[in-house]
Amino acid sequence: MTFLQRSSAKGVPPVPFETEDNNIEGVADIVLLEPVTEDAFVANLKKRYKHRRIYTYLGNVLLSVNPYCDIPIYTPEYIDRYRSRNLYELPPHIFAIADDAYRSMRDRNLDQCIIISGESGSGKTEASKLVMRYVAAVSVKGHRIDKIKSMLLQSNPLLEAFGNAKTMKNDNSSRFGKYMDIEFDFKGEPLGGIITNYLLEKSRVAVQPPGERNFHIFYQVLGGADVSHLKSLRLSRNPEKYRLLNNHDSYIADTIDDKAAFLATKAAMEAVGFRPEEVQEVLTIVAGVLKIGNVEFQPVSNIDGSEGCLLIKEYELRDLCDMFQSPDSVLQTALTTRRVEAGSEVVAIEYSATEAHSARDALCKALYSRLFTWLISKLNENIRVENHGKRKCLGVLDIYGFEVFEHNGFEQFVINYCNEKLQQLFIELTLKEEQEDYVKEGITWTHIDYFNNEAICDLVDKSHVGILSILDEECLRPGEVSDESFLERLTQKLEQHKFLETRLGRRCQNDKSLAHDCFRIQHYAGAVTYSVAGFIEKNSDLLYRDLSQAMFACNLLLLKSLFPEGNPSRVCLKRPTTAGFKFKNSMNALMKNLHMKNPSYIRCVKPNESQTASKFDDNVVRRQVKYLGLMENLRVRRSGFCFRQLHLQFLNRYKMLSSKTWPNWSGPPRKGVEALMKELRIDLVEYAVGISKVFIRNPIMLFELEEKRRLHLGQLATLLQAVYRGWRCRHAYQKLRKSQIVIAKNWRRYEVLAAPCKLCSC
């Protein structure tokens, strides 16, 4: 093993930095891989993983294999080593990608986004935290700036507490999507940021799959709050006492320290600007959700023969009313009956026990999801940029990974739709647009085939004929609607679509692997079967007005802001938009935002399904390599160019390297680029000049250009300093000379005037 000596900081002795031996540890950039086969691709990742090399380049895309253990490669020394270094100058690392994006934003004035994608459990959340940590470390320091950095970094543990949960595939799985835009001034100082969240998996509040937990914050409060605090929240330490937490005895997580996490969450809330009374209100609502979940209803028969319900465990409701500062009767009535307007009359309809339990769960989910949205909004208020000057932006996207469970419902459907959109973006930016760009610019090019998932995205979100549109139509259709009627309508409209299968369709009538209440989509990552059970309810996302009004009637101020539609004086006859419609719009807005930025990709890969360190399952990795389109990406990278830029921009950046183009070029920019490259004696194989852009094949050549530019800038700075010093000396000399002339003139005048006086005295 060899070492590269480099000083880690001024006054600090150099630290040995391990370089890589490609023969022993695998190829660091898979673009250099031979032969170009899927087997060789997987074998290279495996070889590197066995030597704890979890990062590998694919051109400018970083592949990150989750080690499932701590590796000491994120220390301050590593941050310093990768600071202001070219992408391929040191071994692959997430800090190199973060540094390249940050410097491109700061020095080239290009808005950036780092898109982190991969399956659930592949390490996306940790990767996003490392990116933010690196950017915070290398950006400018100062008291005000350090406070902003702290707030941005502390947003992570806060959002993880309320938005993450233990699943079968990941002990810290993000159950929501997050995109953070960090804004900087022209010097690269962070000014603030804004966070956008996407579809919290609120169904988890009411029920969790076997072996999984509810959101972290519930266990943190029970495990971390002191006795007096728990008493004020009317809670006990034991999770088994709460229906929302004792599902399948999965509340125990050996890898999670809930007590330490609770202290970190409280510290994060204080760091990002939450007042103590706001923290208490938030925890009160968290406790209230647990209390509502414990409320039970017993079926009873009414005089008219209909089924009603009787509230049991009234003490839970009394505790809840005391915490929410609400009269007992208001909340009890809202949980057991609902009012329906019949003409000019209002009729109270009593719930059955089943309906009351559904209303209770709906209230739990609404309370928690609205609290989460409020937390994001409050967080944005505190970290939003205050001034309105010109700003640069670096975005970090950490969003759900592709999910395939034994039972897949509405949540998995929209999560996988989100991953389809991200894959479509990846295809457009790294495969489709790249090849189209070569053709448009007149560059000689052999087309490479790849799988385009545009048809799958259209299947889900195309207006009027996509699955989401059909689901919305069914939710809004008058009359009797059900999950089964939605599936029938879906089959009628999309039976012929090659990426959709239903048992009701002719193609799959005899397919016993597909249940009658399910449909199957051939995603880019493979086939996934979705049960339609709950699709209508979850997409409608309705909460009865009686429950909203009961929440608004509480004297806890935060509750009033969470349920503004519960205000009796507010009349709104417009039907709320569906969950699918909102998610589709948010995805379109996200794609538009990402298209406006220069993307950097981190593709996270999980090496096995058991979250075991040092275990590399070839089949698991091979499946991810295949559906992520990494082989197609590799072929395009090997045949193409690593860098492109408009003629004028390229000429303006490197014109000082040639006497023919410096200081100004008067002809067409393309001719200037050709003259510049000719004088630099760069081989024609290494670059191509298109109609409007210049293309660089090898990143090493680009680094050499940057190094030459840096040296010339130093020479120009020296020249400017010499000219300035010469001017300053001449200016000082001229002032001295003028002063000397004035003094001499006045001295001679004095002598002339003083001469008669001297004669007289004689």
Side-chain angles (χ1 to χ4, degrees), residues 496-650:
Q496 300 303 318
H497 201 290
K498 66 178 181 179
F499 292 112
L500 178 72
E501 300 170 355
T502 74
R503 194 71 181 272
L504 302 178
R506 295 175 185 175
R507 286 185 296 141
C508 303
Q509 281 182 343
N510 299 319
D511 186 353
K512 295 184 179 180
S513 66
L514 184 60
H516 287 280
D517 64 342
C518 295
F519 64 91
R520 182 185 295 140
I521 295 179
Q522 297 290 339
H523 286 285
Y524 76 95
V528 182
T529 301
Y530 300 100
S531 169
V532 295
F535 261 61
I536 294 292
E537 178 191 346
K538 291 173 181 177
N539 187 57
S540 299
D541 198 25
L542 294 176
L543 183 70
Y544 287 125
R545 185 170 173 80
D546 303 79
L547 291 170
S548 297
Q549 290 180 341
M551 292 294 99
F552 187 85
C554 298
N555 290 324
L556 193 67
L557 293 178
L558 181 53
L559 281 174
K560 292 184 182 294
S561 64
L562 297 184
F563 294 88
E565 77 279 11
N567 189 341
S569 62
R570 179 178 174 179
V571 179
C572 182
L573 301 178
K574 185 178 179 181
R575 187 183 179 94
T577 54
T578 62
F581 180 81
K582 287 186 282 191
F583 190 73
K584 173 184 169 181
N585 285 348
S586 66
M587 281 295 102
N588 289 336
L590 175 63
M591 294 302 116
K592 184 178 178 181
N593 189 352
L594 296 179
H595 268 292
M596 295 168 62
K597 294 180 170 64
N598 275 14
S600 299
Y601 278 95
I602 299 174
R603 306 290 257 178
C604 296
V605 177
K606 62 179 182 182
N608 59 73
E609 296 285 4
S610 58
Q611 303 181 50
T612 305
S614 302
K615 180 182 177 183
F616 192 97
D617 188 323
D618 291 39
N619 293 327
V620 171
V621 175
R622 189 185 308 276
R623 173 174 54 80
Q624 295 171 81
V625 168
K626 188 174 293 184
Y627 81 67
L628 288 172
L630 298 181
M631 289 303 298
E632 291 90 342
N633 195 356
L634 171 58
R635 294 188 185 102
V636 171
R637 289 289 173 184
R638 283 177 68 96
S639 306
F641 298 85
C642 75
F643 176 81
R644 70 210 62 196
Q645 196 168 37
L646 292 172
H647 293 152
L648 185 59
Q649 293 177 357
F650 186 86

Side-chain angles (χ1 to χ4, degrees), residues 75 302 623 630 677 711 751:
T75 60
N302 296 325
R623 173 174 54 80
L630 298 181
M677 301 301 255
L711 294 173
E751 285 189 327

Side-chain angles (χ1 to χ4, degrees), residues 146-203:
D146 288 345
K147 182 180 178 182
I148 293 170
K149 289 180 186 178
S150 175
M151 292 173 71
L152 292 171
L153 291 174
Q154 287 297 326
S155 66
N156 284 316
L158 173 59
L159 295 179
E160 284 183 24
F162 286 87
N164 289 24
K166 177 185 180 296
T167 67
M168 292 297 292
K169 296 187 176 183
N170 187 359
D171 286 351
N172 189 33
S173 176
S174 296
R175 309 317 301 161
F176 72 107
K178 179 184 71 174
Y179 176 72
M180 175 182 281
D181 262 334
I182 309 172
E183 297 183 327
F184 299 81
D185 65 8
F186 70 97
K187 295 178 290 185
E189 294 180 1
L191 300 173
I194 187 164
I195 298 170
T196 306
N197 66 299
Y198 301 95
L199 193 72
L200 179 76
E201 187 195 21
K202 62 182 180 181
S203 61

Side-chain angles (χ1 to χ4, degrees), residues 226-512:
D226 57 42
V227 175
S228 61
H229 197 178
L230 280 177
K231 189 174 181 181
S232 70
L233 296 174
R234 315 294 175 90
L235 297 176
S236 62
R237 189 77 69 188
N238 189 357
E240 291 183 5
K241 293 187 176 181
Y242 302 98
R243 187 186 64 85
L244 300 182
L245 305 183
N246 62 10
N247 182 32
H248 310 290
D249 296 328
S250 56
Y251 52 85
I252 299 172
D254 296 332
T255 60
I256 300 173
D257 186 344
D258 292 317
K259 183 174 182 179
F262 178 70
L263 297 176
T265 301
K266 284 192 69 178
M269 294 182 78
E270 293 170 6
V272 298
F274 283 80
R275 301 191 304 273
E277 56 270 24
E278 289 175 331
V279 175
Q280 183 60 27
E281 284 188 337
V282 168
L283 296 179
T284 298
I285 292 177
V286 170
V289 171
L290 294 178
K291 287 289 183 180
I292 295 172
N294 275 3
V295 174
E296 297 285 350
F297 302 93
Q298 180 179 312
V300 295
S301 297
N302 296 325
I303 298 175
D304 60 1
S306 63
E307 183 184 330
C309 65
L310 181 66
L311 177 72
I312 56 178
K313 294 188 178 180
E314 293 185 7
Y315 61 89
E316 299 280 13
L317 188 63
R318 283 196 298 271
D319 284 348
L320 178 67
C321 291
D322 287 345
M323 292 160 58
F324 285 2
Q325 302 171 34
S326 166
D328 295 3
S329 58
V330 174
L331 195 50
Q332 181 172 342
T333 302
L335 287 169
T336 54
T337 61
R338 68 184 177 97
R339 292 173 294 172
V340 177
E341 293 185 6
S344 58
E345 296 184 2
V346 177
V347 180
I349 300 177
E350 191 172 353
Y351 287 137
S352 66
T354 302
E355 291 170 336
H357 284 132
S358 296
R360 173 204 63 194
D361 289 347
L363 181 58
C364 288
K365 291 184 286 186
L367 258 175
Y368 192 83
S369 65
R370 294 186 187 204
L371 175 64
F372 185 77
T373 302
W374 179 85
L375 283 169
I376 298 282
S377 176
K378 185 69 179 177
L379 190 55
N380 283 334
E381 283 181 22
N382 295 335
I383 65 175
R384 186 176 284 116
V385 178
E386 296 177 359
N387 61 54
H388 301 285
K390 190 174 180 180
R391 302 190 290 268
K392 305 175 185 181
C393 186
L394 191 156
V396 181
L397 177 66
D398 170 22
I399 207 157
Y400 341 83
F402 193 85
E403 291 190 346
V404 186
F405 298 131
E406 186 176 338
H407 174 84
N408 301 292
F410 180 76
E411 291 82 9
Q412 281 67 48
F413 172 69
V414 294
I415 285 172
N416 292 343
Y417 159 61
C418 168
N419 278 269
E420 286 287 357
K421 295 293 285 184
L422 288 174
Q423 179 68 5
Q424 185 183 33
L425 180 74
F426 181 75
I427 289 170
E428 287 180 357
L429 295 181
T430 62
L431 301 177
K432 182 181 177 182
E433 283 187 6
E434 183 157 344
Q435 298 196 79
E436 289 177 351
D437 208 20
Y438 296 145
V439 175
K440 186 172 67 177
E441 291 289 325
I443 306 297
T444 303
W445 176 256
T446 302
H447 181 78
I448 294 174
D449 291 326
Y450 57 88
F451 174 70
N452 191 336
N453 72 332
E454 185 177 355
I456 303 175
C457 294
D458 288 343
L459 168 67
V460 177
D461 65 8
K462 193 170 184 178
S463 297
H464 307 300
V465 294
I467 295 175
L468 287 174
S469 294
I470 295 170
L471 181 58
D472 283 352
E473 288 174 11
E474 195 66 12
C475 289
L476 300 174
R477 182 171 64 85
E480 197 80 20
V481 295
S482 64
D483 297 321
E484 291 73 22
S485 66
F486 158 64
L487 186 58
E488 290 174 7
R489 196 172 181 84
L490 183 66
T491 306
Q492 290 171 9
K493 287 201 171 187
L494 297 171
E495 181 181 0
Q496 300 303 318
H497 201 290
K498 66 178 181 179
F499 292 112
L500 178 72
E501 300 170 355
T502 74
R503 194 71 181 272
L504 302 178
R506 295 175 185 175
R507 286 185 296 141
C508 303
Q509 281 182 343
N510 299 319
D511 186 353
K512 295 184 179 180

